[in-house]
Amino acid sequence: MKKILLIATGGTIASQKTEGGLAPGLSPGELLRRVPDARAFCQIDTVQPMNLDSTNITPGHWLALAALIEENYGKYDGFVICHGTDTLAYSGAALSYLIQGTRKPIVLTGAQKPIDREDTDARQNLLDSLRYASSGDSGVCIVFGGHVIAGTRARKTRTKSYNAFSSINFPDLAEIRDHRVVRFLPCAESGSPRFTHTLNTRVMLLKLIPGLPTEAFASATACCDGLIIESYGVGGIPDAYLSQLEALAHAGKTIVLATQVPQEGSDLSVYQVGHRVKERYRLLEPYDMTLESTVTKLMWVLGQADDPQEIRRLFYTPVNHDLLF
Ligand code: ASP
């Protein structure tokens, strides 16, 4: 029987009613008691390193989760992390960079309704996750609403419905249908896992809106090493911000020019507004990567390297299906 470590971190799945609204309350043991069928196919130990609404999750928590998995990697066949849905896609992407080359499944899941509600999706999601984590090789992934999504490809696209997560610019890895895992893609990982322990959190996201005051770039210059500018369409920089961009580039900031459009990604070579800045300022672009992956990959890359050439090489090296271009 497969041995699984259930890591509970809070979220709606473990939440209970309080006077001030839902808040995480249940222990991992209490979660497990709601899915007794899991005992038929796996043996589960539990741990609760934090108990938070995922609004409060930070990069420090990603490092703590990766360290916990590293410590226990030899003892278990798979890991299931119960997590709030709001920042789950960021955590899935961050863990994909911090734990590379894992063939043991590291599954993140959660729910839109607390596990004790009659109409909850939590019991199904937890059972599906334990089943998937017990079913053989995989990497870091998200199991939610019957879909198995690569950890770098998930995005919360619905705030209320049970099919809350979509796989962006990439197919689902698998589905769970009637208690069976139906795989569409084989696990691409081989060899042994590589854990890294550093992130540079001096990363900012600046979303362009028409007429954004130029001063918005000042805080980026002051407090980040890496700036992601979320521009429009396939990507470009309005004339009004060219001197700000030049200042950022001269200050040695790593600049990624991304798009606000969720599907199909960037291509700065298409329009003059993109083409003129890409080479001149040695901008990076995410192509088909999700925003969640772009943010966490930049934190990871800047945690590993200072040299612009090495930053570029790491940023464009595909990890856990994050980049196809
Ligand atoms: N606010 C909750 C959280 O992210 C939402 C959820 O879990 O669905 O922790």
Side-chain angles (χ1 to χ4, degrees):
M1 204 179 261
K2 293 288 171 92
K3 279 194 78 179
I4 306 297
L5 182 62
L6 177 71
I7 304 172
T9 71
T12 294
I13 190 167
S15 284
Q16 294 175 307
K17 268 192 185 159
T18 72
E19 274 184 12
L22 291 174
L26 298 182
S27 69
E30 287 170 312
L31 289 176
L32 268 190
R33 274 201 285 287
R34 272 68 169 181
V35 289
D37 293 358
R39 274 192 240 122
F41 57 84
C42 60
Q43 188 196 321
I44 307 161
D45 291 336
T46 63
V47 58
Q48 188 174 45
M50 59 209 77
N51 200 17
L52 299 172
D53 188 296
S54 78
T55 306
N56 287 314
I57 291 282
T58 66
H61 296 112
W62 302 332
L63 290 168
L65 286 171
L68 181 65
I69 292 170
E70 182 172 17
E71 224 176 277
N72 287 284
Y73 199 80
K75 296 185 219 144
Y76 294 94
D77 300 301
F79 301 84
V80 172
I81 303 171
C82 289
H83 194 292
T85 61
D86 290 345
T87 60
L88 190 146
Y90 285 96
S91 296
L95 291 177
S96 298
Y97 299 114
L98 291 170
I99 312 171
Q100 295 187 26
T102 172
R103 292 211 311 258
K104 292 189 181 178
I106 298 173
V107 177
L108 293 101
T109 195
Q112 293 282 56
K113 300 264 167 70
I115 202 160
D116 279 336
R117 284 206 22 182
E118 213 170 299
D119 59 347
T120 187
D121 52 335
R123 287 191 289 274
Q124 192 62 54
N125 286 345
L126 184 51
L127 198 58
D128 283 351
S129 299
L130 291 164
R131 195 179 298 281
Y132 187 73
S134 308
S135 74
D137 291 358
S138 180
V140 178
C141 62
I142 284 151
V143 172
F144 207 98
H147 298 269
V148 183
I149 300 172
T152 57
R153 288 293 182 174
R155 153 88 44 96
K156 186 171 178 180
T157 47
R158 291 181 182 81
T159 55
K160 295 176 184 171
S161 307
Y162 291 160
N163 55 342
F165 286 88
S166 306
S167 185
I168 304 295
N169 296 330
F170 198 74
D172 286 354
L173 300 176
E175 282 179 9
I176 321 287
R177 294 183 191 152
D178 287 336
H179 316 306
R180 279 189 49 239
V181 174
V182 181
R183 280 180 203 276
F184 305 133
L185 288 170
C187 174
E189 306 297 356
S190 58
S192 29
R194 299 176 302 283
F195 290 87
T196 44
H197 309 100
T198 6
L199 293 169
N200 179 341
T201 58
R202 289 174 50 84
V203 164
M204 265 184 64
L205 172 68
L206 186 64
K207 185 170 189 150
L208 296 188
I209 54 169
L212 181 78
T214 50
E215 295 81 48
F217 284 81
S219 61
T221 318
C223 69
C224 77
D225 297 328
L227 175 68
I228 300 162
I229 302 173
E230 224 184 29
S231 78
Y232 315 111
V234 286
I237 287 283
D239 302 347
Y241 310 127
L242 289 176
S243 55
Q244 276 71 24
L245 197 64
E246 175 140 1
L248 282 161
H250 281 141
K253 310 292 180 187
T254 301
I255 307 166
V256 181
L257 192 52
T259 175
Q260 301 175 15
V261 182
Q263 304 280 353
E264 300 175 359
S266 69
D267 185 351
L268 295 183
S269 65
V270 177
Y271 295 100
Q272 206 180 47
V273 285
H275 196 267
R276 66 181 176 184
V277 285
K278 178 162 181 180
E279 293 311 318
R280 180 148 186 206
Y281 302 117
R282 310 240 337 121
L283 301 186
L284 300 171
E285 64 174 311
Y287 296 106
D288 55 293
M289 273 195 276
T290 65
L291 176 68
E292 292 82 345
S293 288
T294 305
V295 168
T296 55
K297 193 173 198 176
L298 191 58
M299 287 183 184
W300 175 76
V301 167
L302 296 179
Q304 318 309 307
D306 295 321
D307 169 53
Q309 287 282 96
E310 182 60 2
I311 289 172
R312 178 167 291 265
R313 188 188 71 76
L314 288 173
F315 189 78
Y316 286 132
T317 303
V319 175
N320 192 20
H321 308 291
D322 65 347
L323 183 64
L324 294 170
F325 77 105

